[in-house]
Amino acid sequence: MPEPLTVPSALTAQVERLIPSARLGRLGRLRRGLEKEGLRVDANGHIAQTPHPHALGSKLTHPHITTDYSESLLEYITPVYSQPSEALSFLSDLHTFTYHHLENEWIWPGSMPSRLSGNDSVPIADYGCSNVGTMKHVYRKGLDMRYGRIMQAIAGVHYNVSLPDDMWHALREMEKATNIPFNDYRSTRYFGMIRHFRRHSWLLLYLFGASPAIDKSFLPDDKKVPEKLQSLSDDTYFAPYATTLRMSDLGYQNKVQSQLKICFNSLSNYVNTLRHAISSPWPDYEKMGVNVDGEWRQLNANILQIENEYYSDIRPKRVAKHNETPSQALEARGVEYIEVRCLDLNPFDPLGVTENQMRFVDTFLMWCLLSDSPWISDEECDRLDDNRRWVVERGRDPELKLFNHGETTSVREWGEQIFAEMGEVARLLDAVEEGSPHADALSDLAPRLADPSLTPSAQVLERLKANGGSLSDLMLSLAQEQAEQLKAEPMQRSREALLAQLIETSHQQQRDIEAADKETFEAFLEAYFAKARESRALSALPSEAHQ
């Protein structure tokens, strides 16, 4: 008989103290927005070579429909909502609206790319001739020089979450921390949340990873096939126990960036490390050249061209003002929200993400916030990276053991302990809901711990093996089925009118930006980086002095 799971008394005490205020409506609700990527593909499942449809508006200025790295990589951005269903409704309408303007193309439902024909088959996004549009294009050329385009064709869901101010005030009073300025307190607690997330994000990779296979065209012809991959069919490789190859060293990983060792111990450390990276030349990038015979190859030859080049499964964020970098916004006004970046697209859902999943992630993040989260040492940082890599590559392996406080434990044992603790947090979040959607999400997902065959990664492999083993054939079939479903969905009339209006409005905004430019791109870039190197820090966080 296994020992009964225990929940830390401190966590239970915090929840009990907050529930009465929650029931009285004094804490507010979590707020979240979605950013969802998806490749456009042709009728044969190849990445689309057509430009971003003009009828979707300007990708430079449209607030909801744009592109990520590639001209073919659609990115949808929802407004911020206090109900997951509202965010999903908006996302659904963005898909439906897009399908009204696509001809013989589909939105790829998987995170790993469709059929490719080498590096140049991934077209770099073009944002027009303005200085800001040129900067976005040259930045992407730099990513091509450094990492290649194929890696940039990977898609996922970014989940943005913030706590309402009322909840922050309640926590601050509960901890008797009202002597600490509000923005400083909130930033310090957000970084605690991020550290706890870093320690346990492997659980999200296990539960929601859905990319255990790749199309063989994803690997260059001259590259040796990694040992972790096996051939499943003429066009598909897979890893038997993998959860998310998107998050493996095949995907968004970079050896140069790994030296930065950002483990999110404080806001100042995070900002200063990024500022160092965008100011420090890297020899290999210097050899590539920056502006060679009038051709811009990259924005600069530094470790990072800009802060967005840093890859991480979670980021602290703050909406930046005009002429302000993301780090400067954080320095000046503190952390505003958290961006979770480790979620694969769910290929079996037309939107790539479900309400159940959103409720679970909300609960997980609140658990991370309310749990004790000491600073991460360099040694622990390495162990966290090991856990993450092992779950990515063989998370469903029944023999897998993870490091946990100097001991080893199985995914199931550790996961069940986390679920038990999250159950307490679900009680708090459900106190403001009709029914118990957060507790229900835990109940629905818990069986995946005991039975790995229920995970999305296992489901993808099962479907592949039952249908000839071709990842691209399976994903194209799913894309076409989902397209018919989405085309048939009625759009909210006011939203349809808004999106129709934004077509011309966004194109006009791009024309206005281009007409207003007076300086050369070189002068524009020099001024941008001069400002980017400036510190906007008001003061060190008081709490940092005591860590």
Side-chain angles (χ1 to χ4, degrees):
M1 281 289 290
E3 295 183 8
L5 300 173
T6 59
V7 176
S9 57
L11 176 63
T12 301
Q14 285 192 85
V15 169
E16 291 294 347
R17 292 178 66 183
L18 289 169
I19 280 180
S21 295
R23 287 174 175 159
L24 293 172
R26 294 176 181 170
L27 296 185
R29 296 174 180 269
L30 299 186
R31 293 170 59 78
R32 78 281 291 158
L34 294 167
E35 300 172 29
K36 187 262 185 181
E37 302 156 345
L39 277 177
R40 288 185 294 112
V41 301
D42 65 19
N44 296 313
H46 289 91
I47 183 172
Q49 299 299 303
T50 52
H52 182 75
H54 185 275
L56 296 182
S58 164
K59 51 189 174 290
L60 178 67
T61 56
H62 198 296
H64 304 300
I65 303 175
T66 181
T67 57
D68 194 81
Y69 174 84
S70 173
E71 190 77 4
S72 307
L73 187 55
L74 288 164
E75 181 175 8
Y76 297 132
I77 304 168
T78 74
V80 177
Y81 290 104
S82 59
Q83 288 289 355
S85 59
E86 294 175 344
L88 290 171
S89 173
F90 196 100
L91 183 61
S92 178
D93 281 349
L94 292 177
H95 281 79
T96 300
F97 184 82
T98 299
Y99 269 120
H100 291 168
H101 299 284
L102 288 185
E103 295 184 13
N104 298 317
E105 290 183 350
W106 288 268
I107 301 171
W108 198 248
S111 281
M112 299 306 285
S114 58
R115 295 186 173 108
L116 305 172
S117 300
N119 192 68
D120 292 345
S121 68
V122 182
I124 299 176
D126 180 359
Y127 295 91
C129 63
S130 67
N131 282 329
V132 66
T134 301
M135 181 176 177
K136 291 170 75 72
H137 182 71
V138 172
Y139 166 62
R140 285 157 173 76
K141 289 178 68 176
L143 296 178
D144 177 20
M145 294 277 292
R146 296 167 179 222
Y147 322 116
R149 301 185 192 182
I150 287 177
M151 184 180 86
Q152 310 298 327
I154 297 170
V157 175
H158 295 174
Y159 192 61
N160 302 308
V161 180
S162 65
L163 272 67
D165 285 353
D166 287 345
M167 189 174 293
W168 286 119
H169 286 304
L171 289 169
R172 191 159 155 251
E173 291 174 7
M174 197 168 74
E175 294 180 10
K176 297 181 171 55
T178 53
N179 60 314
I180 300 175
F182 178 76
N183 283 349
D184 292 349
Y185 172 81
R186 179 173 57 182
S187 293
T188 301
R189 289 300 305 271
Y190 265 135
F191 268 82
M193 172 197 280
I194 292 173
R195 290 193 298 275
H196 210 67
F197 180 97
R198 286 271 299 147
R199 288 180 167 105
H200 303 92
S201 61
W202 61 263
L203 181 61
L204 300 184
L205 304 179
Y206 173 82
L207 292 173
F208 303 119
S211 52
I214 61 171
D215 190 277
K216 288 185 177 180
S217 65
F218 183 77
L219 296 180
D221 292 337
D222 59 351
K223 183 175 180 179
K224 183 180 178 182
V225 178
E227 290 184 3
K228 59 175 162 282
L229 295 181
Q230 300 177 18
S231 183
L232 185 62
S233 66
D234 290 343
D235 66 2
T236 301
Y237 290 120
F238 79 110
Y241 294 115
T243 58
T244 166
L245 293 178
R246 166 180 171 263
M247 297 299 292
S248 73
D249 55 5
L250 296 173
Y252 289 123
Q253 303 298 315
N254 178 262
K255 293 178 180 178
V256 176
Q257 292 188 25
S258 65
Q259 66 160 327
L260 297 177
K261 288 295 179 187
I262 296 178
C263 275
F264 303 96
N265 283 331
S266 71
L267 175 57
S268 62
N269 173 260
Y270 175 76
V271 168
N272 290 335
T273 304
L274 286 183
R275 183 166 290 130
H276 166 76
I278 65 171
S279 305
S280 301
W282 189 254
D284 288 346
Y285 300 158
E286 288 181 310
K287 293 175 185 176
M288 296 174 180
V290 177
N291 185 353
V292 180
D293 298 329
E295 178 199 356
W296 285 89
R297 297 183 175 182
Q298 51 187 336
L299 295 177
N300 54 53
N302 298 330
I303 295 172
L304 302 178
Q305 297 174 89
I306 56 176
E307 295 164 22
N308 287 351
E309 190 174 337
Y310 172 62
Y311 300 128
S312 174
D313 53 6
I314 188 169
R315 282 181 183 169
K317 299 293 287 286
R318 156 72 63 175
V319 175
K321 297 179 179 179
H322 181 61
N323 286 334
E324 186 179 57
T325 69
S327 286
Q328 288 171 334
L330 287 171
E331 275 187 316
R333 298 179 302 285
V335 183
E336 183 179 13
Y337 65 96
I338 296 298
E339 180 186 33
V340 175
R341 300 167 54 83
C342 62
L343 301 175
D344 281 1
L345 298 178
N346 179 349
F348 303 116
D349 187 272
L351 305 183
V353 60
T354 67
E355 181 170 350
N356 222 26
Q357 182 178 3
M358 293 172 70
R359 295 287 188 181
F360 182 91
V361 176
D362 288 346
T363 311
F364 183 82
L365 290 173
M366 274 299 294
W367 170 71
C368 289
L369 177 75
L370 296 177
S371 299
D372 184 41
S373 184
W375 281 25
I376 297 174
S377 67
D378 290 345
E379 181 181 1
E380 185 186 6
C381 202
D382 290 338
R383 296 289 77 76
L384 301 184
D385 289 341
D386 289 340
N387 283 346
R388 180 176 171 278
R389 183 179 71 256
W390 291 336
V391 171
V392 160
E393 295 182 356
R394 55 189 188 95
R396 288 178 286 105
D397 184 346
E399 302 300 319
L400 176 62
K401 298 290 185 180
L402 305 179
F403 285 118
N404 181 15
H405 298 295
E407 300 180 355
T408 59
T409 185
S410 69
V411 166
R412 177 178 180 176
E413 290 169 340
W414 197 355
E416 288 175 347
Q417 177 61 47
I418 294 171
F419 266 67
E421 295 179 22
M422 287 176 61
E424 288 293 285
V425 179
R427 287 199 300 123
L428 172 62
L429 294 178
D430 284 339
V432 297
E433 303 287 348
E434 292 184 10
S436 52
H438 299 90
D440 293 344
L442 294 181
S443 297
D444 289 346
L445 293 168
R448 295 184 184 181
L449 294 172
D451 186 356
S453 70
L454 299 175
T455 60
S457 57
Q459 295 290 306
V460 168
L461 285 181
E462 183 180 343
R463 288 283 292 272
L464 280 173
K465 292 174 180 178
N467 291 276
S470 171
L471 179 68
S472 287
D473 286 350
L474 171 63
M475 291 299 158
L476 182 60
S477 174
L478 289 172
Q480 293 170 339
E481 291 174 13
Q482 293 168 5
E484 294 307 310
Q485 180 180 340
L486 289 162
K487 288 177 185 178
E489 291 286 334
M491 288 185 66
Q492 194 179 104
R493 287 189 178 182
S494 60
R495 196 172 291 153
E496 186 173 16
L498 168 67
L499 293 175
Q501 180 184 16
L502 282 170
I503 297 173
E504 179 52 34
T505 301
S506 63
H507 283 302
Q508 184 59 51
Q509 288 173 334
Q510 178 172 335
R511 290 191 289 268
D512 291 344
I513 292 170
E514 292 171 349
D517 277 349
K518 303 301 180 186
E519 61 185 342
T520 65
F521 178 63
E522 187 171 5
F524 168 83
L525 210 56
E526 183 178 345
Y528 174 88
F529 284 117
K531 291 176 182 175
R533 289 188 290 270
E534 297 173 358
S535 174
R536 303 290 173 89
L538 300 178
S539 63
L541 297 183
S543 54
E544 291 181 11
H546 303 293
Q547 297 289 347

mmCIF file of all heavy atoms in Angstrom, residues 270-287:
data_model
loop_
_atom_site.group_PDB
_atom_site.id
_atom_site.type_symbol
_atom_site.label_atom_id
_atom_site.label_comp_id
_atom_site.label_asym_id
_atom_site.label_seq_id
_atom_site.Cartn_x
_atom_site.Cartn_y
_atom_site.Cartn_z
ATOM 1 N N TYR A 270 17.630 38.780 -14.208
ATOM 2 C CA TYR A 270 17.049 38.415 -15.497
ATOM 3 C C TYR A 270 17.302 39.512 -16.531
ATOM 4 O O TYR A 270 17.801 39.251 -17.636
ATOM 5 C CB TYR A 270 15.548 38.171 -15.330
ATOM 6 C CG TYR A 270 14.796 37.889 -16.603
ATOM 7 C CD1 TYR A 270 14.886 36.652 -17.235
ATOM 8 C CD2 TYR A 270 13.986 38.863 -17.187
ATOM 9 C CE1 TYR A 270 14.183 36.387 -18.402
ATOM 10 C CE2 TYR A 270 13.278 38.611 -18.361
ATOM 11 C CZ TYR A 270 13.390 37.375 -18.960
ATOM 12 O OH TYR A 270 12.692 37.131 -20.123
ATOM 13 N N VAL A 271 16.992 40.746 -16.162
ATOM 14 C CA VAL A 271 17.136 41.871 -17.095
ATOM 15 C C VAL A 271 18.605 42.105 -17.436
ATOM 16 O O VAL A 271 18.966 42.309 -18.602
ATOM 17 C CB VAL A 271 16.501 43.138 -16.497
ATOM 18 C CG1 VAL A 271 16.892 44.367 -17.297
ATOM 19 C CG2 VAL A 271 14.983 42.998 -16.453
ATOM 20 N N ASN A 272 19.467 42.069 -16.436
ATOM 21 C CA ASN A 272 20.881 42.335 -16.678
ATOM 22 C C ASN A 272 21.520 41.254 -17.555
ATOM 23 O O ASN A 272 22.389 41.544 -18.385
ATOM 24 C CB ASN A 272 21.636 42.453 -15.354
ATOM 25 C CG ASN A 272 21.275 43.721 -14.601
ATOM 26 O OD1 ASN A 272 20.851 44.707 -15.214
ATOM 27 N ND2 ASN A 272 21.427 43.708 -13.287
ATOM 28 N N THR A 273 21.079 39.998 -17.373
ATOM 29 C CA THR A 273 21.615 38.919 -18.198
ATOM 30 C C THR A 273 21.198 39.099 -19.650
ATOM 31 O O THR A 273 22.000 38.933 -20.572
ATOM 32 C CB THR A 273 21.143 37.550 -17.679
ATOM 33 O OG1 THR A 273 21.500 37.408 -16.311
ATOM 34 C CG2 THR A 273 21.766 36.415 -18.476
ATOM 35 N N LEU A 274 19.933 39.454 -19.873
ATOM 36 C CA LEU A 274 19.474 39.692 -21.241
ATOM 37 C C LEU A 274 20.182 40.908 -21.848
ATOM 38 O O LEU A 274 20.568 40.888 -23.030
ATOM 39 C CB LEU A 274 17.963 39.905 -21.267
ATOM 40 C CG LEU A 274 17.095 38.670 -21.067
ATOM 41 C CD1 LEU A 274 15.621 39.031 -21.180
ATOM 42 C CD2 LEU A 274 17.437 37.572 -22.079
ATOM 43 N N ARG A 275 20.355 41.955 -21.067
ATOM 44 C CA ARG A 275 21.036 43.155 -21.577
ATOM 45 C C ARG A 275 22.485 42.837 -21.953
ATOM 46 O O ARG A 275 22.994 43.335 -22.961
ATOM 47 C CB ARG A 275 20.968 44.280 -20.540
ATOM 48 C CG ARG A 275 21.596 45.585 -21.033
ATOM 49 C CD ARG A 275 21.224 46.758 -20.147
ATOM 50 N NE ARG A 275 19.821 47.093 -20.312
ATOM 51 C CZ ARG A 275 18.974 47.254 -19.294
ATOM 52 N NH1 ARG A 275 19.374 47.097 -18.052
ATOM 53 N NH2 ARG A 275 17.716 47.564 -19.530
ATOM 54 N N HIS A 276 23.131 42.001 -21.140
ATOM 55 C CA HIS A 276 24.490 41.570 -21.470
ATOM 56 C C HIS A 276 24.491 40.794 -22.787
ATOM 57 O O HIS A 276 25.380 40.991 -23.635
ATOM 58 C CB HIS A 276 25.040 40.686 -20.341
ATOM 59 C CG HIS A 276 26.276 39.925 -20.704
ATOM 60 N ND1 HIS A 276 27.522 40.514 -20.781
ATOM 61 C CD2 HIS A 276 26.455 38.610 -21.029
ATOM 62 C CE1 HIS A 276 28.418 39.600 -21.137
ATOM 63 N NE2 HIS A 276 27.793 38.450 -21.296
ATOM 64 N N ALA A 277 23.485 39.950 -22.990
ATOM 65 C CA ALA A 277 23.447 39.099 -24.179
ATOM 66 C C ALA A 277 23.221 39.909 -25.453
ATOM 67 O O ALA A 277 23.760 39.562 -26.515
ATOM 68 C CB ALA A 277 22.366 38.036 -24.028
ATOM 69 N N ILE A 278 22.425 40.992 -25.384
ATOM 70 C CA ILE A 278 22.181 41.794 -26.589
ATOM 71 C C ILE A 278 23.280 42.829 -26.814
ATOM 72 O O ILE A 278 23.234 43.569 -27.803
ATOM 73 C CB ILE A 278 20.802 42.490 -26.544
ATOM 74 C CG1 ILE A 278 20.737 43.521 -25.414
ATOM 75 C CG2 ILE A 278 19.673 41.488 -26.448
ATOM 76 C CD1 ILE A 278 19.486 44.388 -25.459
ATOM 77 N N SER A 279 24.280 42.852 -25.921
ATOM 78 C CA SER A 279 25.385 43.806 -26.048
ATOM 79 C C SER A 279 26.734 43.122 -26.246
ATOM 80 O O SER A 279 27.737 43.809 -26.464
ATOM 81 C CB SER A 279 25.460 44.695 -24.792
ATOM 82 O OG SER A 279 24.233 45.333 -24.534
ATOM 83 N N SER A 280 26.789 41.780 -26.153
ATOM 84 C CA SER A 280 28.060 41.056 -26.182
ATOM 85 C C SER A 280 28.237 40.313 -27.502
ATOM 86 O O SER A 280 27.446 39.418 -27.825
ATOM 87 C CB SER A 280 28.123 40.058 -25.016
ATOM 88 O OG SER A 280 27.998 40.728 -23.782
ATOM 89 N N PRO A 281 29.264 40.649 -28.279
ATOM 90 C CA PRO A 281 29.506 39.967 -29.556
ATOM 91 C C PRO A 281 29.821 38.491 -29.352
ATOM 92 O O PRO A 281 30.366 38.093 -28.323
ATOM 93 C CB PRO A 281 30.716 40.711 -30.133
ATOM 94 C CG PRO A 281 30.760 42.016 -29.409
ATOM 95 C CD PRO A 281 30.223 41.741 -28.038
ATOM 96 N N TRP A 282 29.454 37.685 -30.360
ATOM 97 C CA TRP A 282 29.774 36.265 -30.359
ATOM 98 C C TRP A 282 30.614 35.986 -31.602
ATOM 99 O O TRP A 282 30.204 36.316 -32.719
ATOM 100 C CB TRP A 282 28.493 35.437 -30.369
ATOM 101 C CG TRP A 282 28.740 33.969 -30.154
ATOM 102 C CD1 TRP A 282 28.678 32.980 -31.094
ATOM 103 C CD2 TRP A 282 29.105 33.337 -28.935
ATOM 104 N NE1 TRP A 282 28.964 31.761 -30.530
ATOM 105 C CE2 TRP A 282 29.241 31.955 -29.197
ATOM 106 C CE3 TRP A 282 29.344 33.793 -27.640
ATOM 107 C CZ2 TRP A 282 29.600 31.022 -28.234
ATOM 108 C CZ3 TRP A 282 29.693 32.874 -26.668
ATOM 109 C CH2 TRP A 282 29.822 31.506 -26.951
ATOM 110 N N PRO A 283 31.808 35.408 -31.433
ATOM 111 C CA PRO A 283 32.750 35.271 -32.556
ATOM 112 C C PRO A 283 32.152 34.634 -33.810
ATOM 113 O O PRO A 283 32.373 35.126 -34.927
ATOM 114 C CB PRO A 283 33.867 34.405 -31.968
ATOM 115 C CG PRO A 283 33.830 34.700 -30.495
ATOM 116 C CD PRO A 283 32.385 34.915 -30.167
ATOM 117 N N ASP A 284 31.406 33.555 -33.668
ATOM 118 C CA ASP A 284 30.838 32.880 -34.845
ATOM 119 C C ASP A 284 29.861 33.779 -35.585
ATOM 120 O O ASP A 284 29.774 33.729 -36.827
ATOM 121 C CB ASP A 284 30.140 31.585 -34.435
ATOM 122 C CG ASP A 284 31.126 30.500 -34.025
ATOM 123 O OD1 ASP A 284 32.328 30.665 -34.303
ATOM 124 O OD2 ASP A 284 30.703 29.505 -33.410
ATOM 125 N N TYR A 285 29.112 34.582 -34.839
ATOM 126 C CA TYR A 285 28.163 35.486 -35.482
ATOM 127 C C TYR A 285 28.886 36.659 -36.138
ATOM 128 O O TYR A 285 28.433 37.186 -37.166
ATOM 129 C CB TYR A 285 27.135 35.996 -34.463
ATOM 130 C CG TYR A 285 26.310 34.895 -33.809
ATOM 131 C CD1 TYR A 285 25.684 35.101 -32.577
ATOM 132 C CD2 TYR A 285 26.163 33.655 -34.415
ATOM 133 C CE1 TYR A 285 24.931 34.102 -31.968
ATOM 134 C CE2 TYR A 285 25.419 32.647 -33.827
ATOM 135 C CZ TYR A 285 24.812 32.865 -32.592
ATOM 136 O OH TYR A 285 24.071 31.875 -31.996
ATOM 137 N N GLU A 286 30.019 37.069 -35.559
ATOM 138 C CA GLU A 286 30.814 38.139 -36.170
ATOM 139 C C GLU A 286 31.346 37.690 -37.537
ATOM 140 O O GLU A 286 31.406 38.476 -38.484
ATOM 141 C CB GLU A 286 31.971 38.528 -35.251
ATOM 142 C CG GLU A 286 31.532 39.297 -34.006
ATOM 143 C CD GLU A 286 32.698 39.692 -33.118
ATOM 144 O OE1 GLU A 286 33.536 38.819 -32.797
ATOM 145 O OE2 GLU A 286 32.777 40.882 -32.757
ATOM 146 N N LYS A 287 31.733 36.413 -37.626
ATOM 147 C CA LYS A 287 32.249 35.886 -38.887
ATOM 148 C C LYS A 287 31.186 35.917 -39.989
ATOM 149 O O LYS A 287 31.502 36.027 -41.172
ATOM 150 C CB LYS A 287 32.755 34.456 -38.698
ATOM 151 C CG LYS A 287 33.992 34.337 -37.808
ATOM 152 C CD LYS A 287 34.354 32.870 -37.582
ATOM 153 C CE LYS A 287 35.514 32.738 -36.606
ATOM 154 N NZ LYS A 287 35.824 31.300 -36.296
#
